[in-house]
Amino acid sequence: MITCPWCGTNYTSFQPNCDNCGGSLPLPPEVVPAASSVSLATPPPPPRDVPRQAVWHILSSDGWAISGLVFSLLGLVFVVVGIPLTVSLVAAFVGLPFGGLGVLFLSGGIPVLVWRYQMAHSTVEVLREGEATVGEIISVTQNYHVRVNGRYPWAVEYDYEVGGRLYADKVTTLSRPDLSQQPGSPVYVLYMRDDPEQSTVYPSPYGYYGL
Ligand SMILES: [Zn+2]
């Protein structure tokens, strides 16, 4: 059975793309050369079809992006309320602090949103174009300091080797990592050939599972 790494739809036989979300499906296990990694779904060769919604799924499970959005929206409301009050001079003593706070929130929130959007966008680039290698999971932890939609995000730390150098990175996700992802177990890592520090794991942890 083949499971879509992007949305979790199951297929009994191999096909290149998912009917549900359009993403590239992993190669059937028979194609995989016999290795120590027995049951890992092999990523298809790049470029992969990554569903267009992937950026939004990454952002929707990102605590930074959500805080940035909340601050930007608050800022917008404060500006919209504060500026007319100030300009009309009727209630400038209320409008000025309101507008000022709004501008402050906006100038904090928008750069965070832009930063996280760029991060999510480069993660999608790695999923689309990255080279595949087998790395190892270092730790799987749940972060109780941050809550997103009533749930605590998971962080999966992993390391991988490119050209004799060891790299470490982590991914965060709202869905509980599957049980095979335990410290010490192998995991497929995708990385950019010209910038190996940019990486993510495969299958994508940002699927719609449980979202
Ligand atoms: Zn799919």
Side-chain angles (χ1 to χ4, degrees), residues 3-9 11 17-25 51 208:
T3 303
C4 173
W6 317 103
C7 72
T9 306
Y11 295 92
N17 289 85
C18 176
D19 293 334
N20 183 40
C21 71
S24 295
L25 293 178
Y208 325 162

Side-chain angles (χ1 to χ4, degrees), residues 2-208:
I2 294 166
T3 303
C4 173
W6 317 103
C7 72
T9 306
N10 290 318
Y11 295 92
T12 46
S13 60
F14 178 74
Q15 58 185 79
N17 289 85
C18 176
D19 293 334
N20 183 40
C21 71
S24 295
L25 293 178
L27 297 177
E30 301 87 79
V31 182
V32 184
S36 59
S37 42
V38 205
S39 60
L40 290 182
T42 313
R48 300 171 195 91
D49 284 330
V50 178
R52 207 179 299 163
Q53 319 91 296
V55 169
W56 305 111
H57 283 285
I58 295 172
L59 287 173
S60 69
S61 65
D62 179 23
W64 277 103
I66 289 166
S67 319
L69 186 67
V70 168
F71 272 92
S72 303
L73 288 178
L74 273 177
L76 203 64
V77 169
F78 277 52
V79 164
V80 164
V81 171
I83 301 278
L85 285 181
T86 311
V87 172
S88 68
L89 292 177
V90 185
F93 60 97
V94 187
L96 216 54
F98 247 68
L101 210 58
V103 169
L104 204 69
F105 279 181
L106 277 178
S107 61
I110 288 173
V112 169
L113 271 183
V114 171
W115 166 48
R116 297 316 285 186
Y117 178 81
Q118 284 167 346
M119 296 272 290
H121 190 78
S122 60
T123 299
V124 168
E125 273 310 290
V126 176
L127 287 169
R128 186 176 290 140
E129 302 288 344
E131 302 286 321
T133 184
V134 176
E136 189 183 298
I137 296 198
I138 307 173
S139 70
V140 179
T141 48
Q142 202 167 10
N143 182 356
Y144 291 103
H145 301 295
V146 186
R147 233 173 103 167
V148 180
N149 297 335
R151 283 184 295 167
Y152 300 103
W154 293 84
V156 178
E157 274 187 281
Y158 55 93
D159 61 19
Y160 56 103
E161 215 181 281
V162 178
R165 218 189 116 182
L166 195 66
Y167 295 88
D169 205 349
K170 71 170 181 183
V171 289
T172 50
T173 166
L174 273 188
S175 40
R176 182 183 238 289
D178 71 73
L179 286 174
S180 64
Q181 296 192 332
Q182 293 300 316
S185 59
V187 61
Y188 264 107
V189 177
L190 303 176
Y191 64 93
M192 294 312 262
R193 192 196 284 271
D194 50 356
D195 183 10
E197 275 180 32
Q198 280 202 56
S199 76
T200 190
V201 295
Y202 182 95
S204 145
Y206 310 105
Y208 325 162

